[in-house]
């Protein structure tokens, strides 16, 4: 076994969050090493996400974090310090429309945004029709599976109202955003060890002393962050560091479907991110197509994987048909294309869809788990409080006994990080949003 140069912090995983933490840690003077088994940043769950930047959530901390992160996304080149001659991820501010159907989802997120002091508008049916005339905003009483007779039999009823957040949107290239942050971290002195896998840790008593890699490298360190996405929980188990978790994660295969859009339609011109709990869909436009996925409806099967690295990246005809029919019902003039287009990725999902940001039973070993598919948007703020949590650990502060209370610098809103504890009782309101 060979020893590499020691580091203050080793980050396992170069997704959007791992790279954001690396950039922040190196900015405050921590010598940082990022380890990823793939060849570049954002190649895992980050790259297979829709890059949605929304501010609604079913939990107040999540809504605050998203809202506080929004300025970073709207001024991304400046935030990530991307040189003018290098490509920077681009935030598209198309706004988010949440249809208020029969489910309690819209009421919940409205109450949460009110509590979080996040701005939103309430639009009546005429306002929605005026802004997006291509949409059929009837309510069909779902969601139903596409092969359920009720999907077609239900007659549309008038929409009551919709929730609109005009400041939100999406990043078209999520992997590029991760790469921008990794470049920023490296410019500040961080090192990136690509094509390497973490196999375990060494301890000195009950504390972390080194991180071990698959090529025999040993990196002496006092702190590590497991941000390895779908491999995270398995890695913690191999380290013997997961015994006291009351919330677990599991690798879930998720599909995103690419549906061509008429370039002359109002949706192509104005853009939109639509949260449609009535039909069970969540989609955004990019000018030429709709990128659609499930909204986590109970009628949609959840594909849990045994091995997070063994899955097909090709979309299935059944899931494609489900997405296309739901979008076509909402956008009647769009038609139903015959060619299956899209991609599949693996998300790291907790029992309640709320992330775990915490320490472990091993002093110095921290985790960022369950972030796939729903926390891309919050990475700028989460990186700040995770680095603060890690630095408190260096000072001997126990996150279990004295949880960090993070004060967001933009507005002074407070986040009690015990909400994301590994030892919590799962939050019953958690959802993918």
């Amino acid at each position: 076994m060979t020893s590499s140069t020691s580091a203050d912090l080793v980050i396992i995983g170069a997704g959007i969050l791992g790279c954001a933490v690396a950039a922040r840690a190196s900015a405050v003077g921590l010598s940082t090493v990022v380890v990823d088994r793939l060849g570049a940043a954002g190649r895992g769950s980050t790259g297979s996400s829709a890059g949605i930047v929304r501010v609604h959530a079913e939990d107040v901390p999540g809504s605050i974090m998203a809202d506080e992160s929004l300025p970073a996304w709207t001024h991304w080149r400046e935030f990530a310090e991307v040189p003018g001659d290098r490509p920077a991820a681009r935030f598209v501010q198309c706004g988010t429309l949440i249809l208020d159907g029969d489910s309690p989802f819209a009421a919940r997120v409205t109450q949460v945004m009110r509590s979080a002091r996040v701005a939103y508008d309430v639009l009546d049916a005429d306002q929605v029709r005026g802004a997006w005339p291509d949409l059929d905003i009837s309510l069909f009483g779902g969601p139903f599976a596409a092969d359920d007779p009720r999907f077609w039999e239900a007659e549309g009823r008038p929409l009551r109202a919709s929730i609109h957040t005009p400041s939100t949107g999406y990043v078209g290239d999520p992997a590029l955003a991760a790469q921008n942050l990794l470049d920023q971290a490296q410019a500040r002195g961080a090192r990136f060890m690509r094509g390497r896998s973490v196999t375990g840790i060494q301890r000195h008593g009950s504390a972390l002393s080194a991180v071990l890699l698959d090529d025999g490298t040993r990196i002496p360190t006092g702190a590590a962050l497991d941000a390895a996405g779908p491999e995270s929980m398995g890695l913690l188990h191999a380290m013997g560091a997961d015994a006291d978790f009351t919330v677990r994660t599991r690798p879930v295969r998720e599909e995103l479907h690419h549906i061509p859009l008429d370039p002359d339609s109002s949706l192509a011109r104005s853009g939109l991110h639509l949260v449609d709990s009535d039909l069970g869909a969540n989609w955004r436009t990019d000018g030429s197509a709709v990128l659609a996925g499930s909204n986590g409806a109970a009628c949609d099967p959840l594909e849990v994987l045994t091995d997070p690295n063994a899955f097909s990246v090709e979309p299935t005809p059944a899931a494609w048909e489900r997405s296309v029919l739901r979008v076509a019902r909402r956008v009647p003039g769009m038609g139903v294309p015959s060619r299956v287009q899209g991609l599949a990725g693996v998300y790291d999902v907790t029992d309640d869809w709320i992330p775990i940001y915490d320490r472990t039973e091993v002093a110095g070993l921290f985790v960022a788990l369950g972030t796939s598919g729903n926390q891309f948007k919050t990475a700028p703020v989460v990186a700040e409080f995770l680095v603060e949590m890690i630095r408190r650990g260096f000072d001997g502060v126990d996150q279990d006994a004295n949880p960090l209370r993070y004060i967001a610098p933009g507005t002074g809103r407070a986040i009690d990080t015990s909400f994301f504890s590994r030892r919590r009782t799962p939050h019953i309101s958690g959802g993918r949003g």
Side-chain angles (χ1 to χ4, degrees), residues 406-418:
Y406 174 77
I407 305 298
T411 61
R413 289 174 289 189
I415 297 170
D416 182 350
T417 60
S418 66

Side-chain angles (χ1 to χ4, degrees), residues 192-210:
F192 180 37
M193 301 180 73
R194 71 187 73 209
R196 310 279 189 86
S197 294
V198 172
T199 57
I201 58 172
Q202 288 183 338
R203 309 186 193 195
H204 181 73
S206 61
L208 174 72
S209 62

Side-chain angles (χ1 to χ4, degrees), residues 10 21 47 72 87 92 119 124 165 172 200 214 232 301 306 335 342 375 413 415 432:
V10 176
V21 172
V92 178
D124 62 27
T165 55
D214 56 352
S232 296
T306 302
Q375 295 302 314
R413 289 174 289 189
I415 297 170
R432 121 176 38 181

Side-chain angles (χ1 to χ4, degrees), residues 85-404:
D85 61 344
R86 299 290 299 275
R90 186 171 71 94
F91 171 69
V92 178
Q93 185 179 331
C94 62
T96 297
L97 184 69
I98 305 168
L99 298 184
D100 190 359
D102 293 332
S103 81
F105 176 77
R108 286 200 302 266
V109 299
T110 301
Q111 178 57 49
V112 164
M113 287 191 288
R114 188 178 301 121
S115 299
R117 306 202 311 272
V118 171
Y120 65 90
D121 299 322
V122 178
L123 305 183
D124 62 27
D126 288 338
Q127 289 172 306
V128 174
R129 290 190 192 96
W132 301 281
D134 294 331
L135 292 179
D136 179 347
I137 56 171
S138 303
L139 297 179
F140 303 103
F144 304 118
D147 59 358
D148 188 323
R150 292 174 294 176
F151 183 86
W152 301 107
E153 293 172 357
E155 295 183 5
R157 294 174 284 107
L159 176 77
R160 292 191 296 272
S162 295
I163 311 304
H164 185 229
T165 55
S167 62
T168 55
Y170 66 91
V171 172
D173 191 344
L176 178 58
Q179 185 64 54
N180 292 154
L181 291 172
L182 181 60
D183 290 344
Q184 184 184 41
Q186 289 180 292
R188 293 169 173 171
R191 290 173 290 148
F192 180 37
M193 301 180 73
R194 71 187 73 209
R196 310 279 189 86
S197 294
V198 172
T199 57
I201 58 172
Q202 288 183 338
R203 309 186 193 195
H204 181 73
S206 61
L208 174 72
S209 62
V211 170
L212 309 178
L213 306 188
D214 56 352
D215 63 354
T217 299
R218 174 181 177 273
I219 308 175
T221 186
L225 174 70
D226 182 358
E231 298 179 57
S232 296
M233 189 58 75
L235 182 57
L236 283 178
H237 186 70
M239 294 174 175
D242 65 334
D244 64 346
F245 279 66
T246 56
V247 180
R248 313 294 292 187
T249 71
R250 51 190 172 170
V252 174
R253 181 179 178 277
E254 292 281 345
E255 295 188 16
L256 289 174
H257 303 114
H258 190 272
I259 308 167
L261 186 64
D262 181 353
D264 294 326
S265 68
S266 65
L267 286 172
R269 293 192 302 271
S270 63
L272 179 66
H273 169 222
L274 183 72
V275 179
D276 189 347
S277 57
D278 179 56
L279 288 176
N282 190 327
W283 50 264
R284 66 164 175 82
T285 64
D286 67 359
S288 62
V290 168
L291 191 64
S294 171
N295 208 31
C299 60
D300 292 347
L302 195 65
E303 186 179 352
V304 180
L305 301 178
T306 302
D307 181 351
N309 296 315
F311 69 99
S312 172
V313 298
E314 298 298 325
T316 60
W320 159 262
E321 180 182 65
R322 181 175 66 225
S323 282
V324 169
L325 292 178
R326 285 172 172 172
V327 175
R329 184 123 211 225
R330 189 61 69 197
V331 190
M334 191 181 71
V336 178
S338 58
R339 182 185 173 195
V340 177
Q341 298 182 69
L343 77 158
V346 182
Y347 291 175
D348 180 37
V349 176
T350 63
D351 299 328
D352 56 7
W353 286 87
I354 302 293
I356 305 170
Y357 303 126
D358 201 0
R359 59 160 290 176
T360 68
E361 61 187 89
V362 179
L365 179 60
F366 296 82
V367 293
L369 310 182
T371 63
S372 306
N374 58 35
Q375 295 302 314
F376 176 87
K377 61 191 182 294
T378 64
V381 163
V382 172
E384 288 196 358
F385 74 65
L386 277 175
V387 171
E388 189 171 338
M389 191 184 295
I390 291 165
R391 295 175 79 189
R392 281 165 37 107
F394 287 139
D395 294 335
V397 179
D398 183 352
Q399 172 69 13
D400 289 336
N402 185 12
L404 170 66

